[in-house]
Amino acid sequence: MEIWQYLINAVQKAGADHVFGIQGDYVLNFFSRAHKSSLKVVNMCDEQGAGFAADGYARINGFGAVCATYGPGCLKLVNPTAQAYAELSPVLVISGVPGVSERGGDPLLHHKVKSFDTQLNVFKEMTCAQAQLSDAKTAAEEIDRVIAAVKRSKRPGYIELPRDMVNAETVVCPKYPEQEKPVDKEALDRAVDRAVGILSKAQKPVISVGMEVHRFGFQKIVLELIERSGFPFVTGVLSKSVITEFHPQFCGVYAGAMSPEPVQQLVEGADGIIAVGPLLSDLATGIFNFDIDIRKTIVPLSERVIIGGKEFYEAGIGSFVPALTEKADLFKKPDTVFEKNKTDVFVPVSGQKITMKRLIAALNGFLDGNMIVVADAGDAMFAGLDLVLAREAGFLSPAYYASTGFAVPAAVGAKAAAPDKRVIVLEGDGSFQMTGMEISTAAGLGHNTVVIILNNGGYGTFRKIIDGPYNDLHNWNYAGVPEALNSGKGFAVRTEDDLISALFRVKDHPDEMAVIEVVLDRMDFSERSLLLTSRIKSGIK
Ligand SMILES: Cc1ncc(C[n+]2csc(CCOP(=O)(O)OP(=O)(O)O)c2C)c(N)n1
Ligand SMILES: [Mg+2]
């Protein structure tokens, strides 16, 4: 089989039927072949957008791919690949590079930086495995090695395809199924007994569902633990909606000091916490402000379990959680009464200026289980944490690495991965000005995406920390964007009535793309954003 064909087959076998990217002469041959294959190639406006699209696709689909040319193309993928690495998104980066036969004497071929390997060296910092397909004999094996590492670790991988190797014949080697690491039954029993010891004494237990539950596909076994134990559960900023938020035991999104009062009390007042697969970043904990007794915590991770803060066992979520669930009779609390995060009901007040708080209340009435929300870094994400979503994994956000400009391109990937769903983008004006042009890609693909732009005149998040002209942006006619694209409908929302009529119109036109510009006061922030920035400000002083 020729290398290009093997690579396309391998991407498809890994689970992706789309690849996002932009071509260039080093990747043109591969691109044209991919276009003719059954893989769907999505041409984006910019490589950074392609990287975010592949990330959004991978977060929903479990594997994504992006393809770019050497140098200026692929180096624009650095930021989205870094985000995918930091937030466990399995994306394969494929770069067409100068041919093996062109490199003798180290010529100044266009797009080269310092050496032919500069790009590879950069990507080593943000990928779990790398391969240069410069030897046809081993190319197939190398492709398999990188893709297996991506699937296993849920981190990006990197493959360079020299342009003179695209049509070289590679040797297809037999596949051996990956051996699962055997479970140490004794260690597992010890861990479960110890956890049962904590939980059986707990009067106010809680389960916190973390990001790894989604990334490694443990939703089913965690849901079983939740239901058999009867414990209330919360999610975190990176795991919002991993389990449906319509579940009767769901109480809200916990983020340390950046949490609504009832959710903070539920978690910090607990005397037994099962925190499954968390990522305890600053943004997930209100800048590390959380008052939890570590001795009462049980933290199953993908490959180990930490109990009481110090003991490590050779078991991970996959074996530990079902074993703990089996003993649920020893600690279950089926009749516990717990307080949930409250959501406001939205009844529009005529002529009333729209605010962030009321927007979220209105969206809670608008969203349904057929929608996926992609919220960008900034107040879109903080405010978005209090949206209540019926759909599992219906909320995507770069809540740790926090690269602004994620949402519109990620929505292109999300829609490609879930074509029967409607994607709702929630993002700030600043983020939209960074990568919003990818709405053109969405329009070209006929997507019915709804982009809600929170226009607060600039980088609002920083106004509360240190304000100045560096937080201001030139104002656009955001509602005019669909007209410029010859696609979709634009709305400028200033009042509650404007908002409700825009949302009705959007619901009534399920096939139409829409941009809803929500004009907010410059100093109108969500409660969570205010809590966070006051912490940051006190750290800066
Ligand atoms: C790529 C990138 N550049 C800069 C930042 C720093 N940053 C964080 S929030 C933010 C403001 C974004 O503005 P907007 O999208 O309008 O959101 P708002 O703060 O107004 O809610 C910026 C620039 C970042 N996180 N990522
Ligand atoms: Mg803004």
Side-chain angles (χ1 to χ4, degrees), residues 378-379 402-404 428-431 434 456 458-462:
D379 209 6
S403 180
T404 41
D429 47 347
S431 302
M434 288 181 183
N456 59 3
Y459 301 155
T461 300
F462 300 113

Side-chain angles (χ1 to χ4, degrees), residues 323-343:
L324 186 64
T325 307
E326 261 179 44
K327 300 258 171 99
D329 282 347
L330 301 174
F331 55 80
K332 68 182 176 191
K333 292 250 175 320
D335 307 316
T336 329
V337 176
F338 37 81
E339 208 188 328
K340 293 171 168 241
N341 186 24
K342 289 178 205 61
T343 47

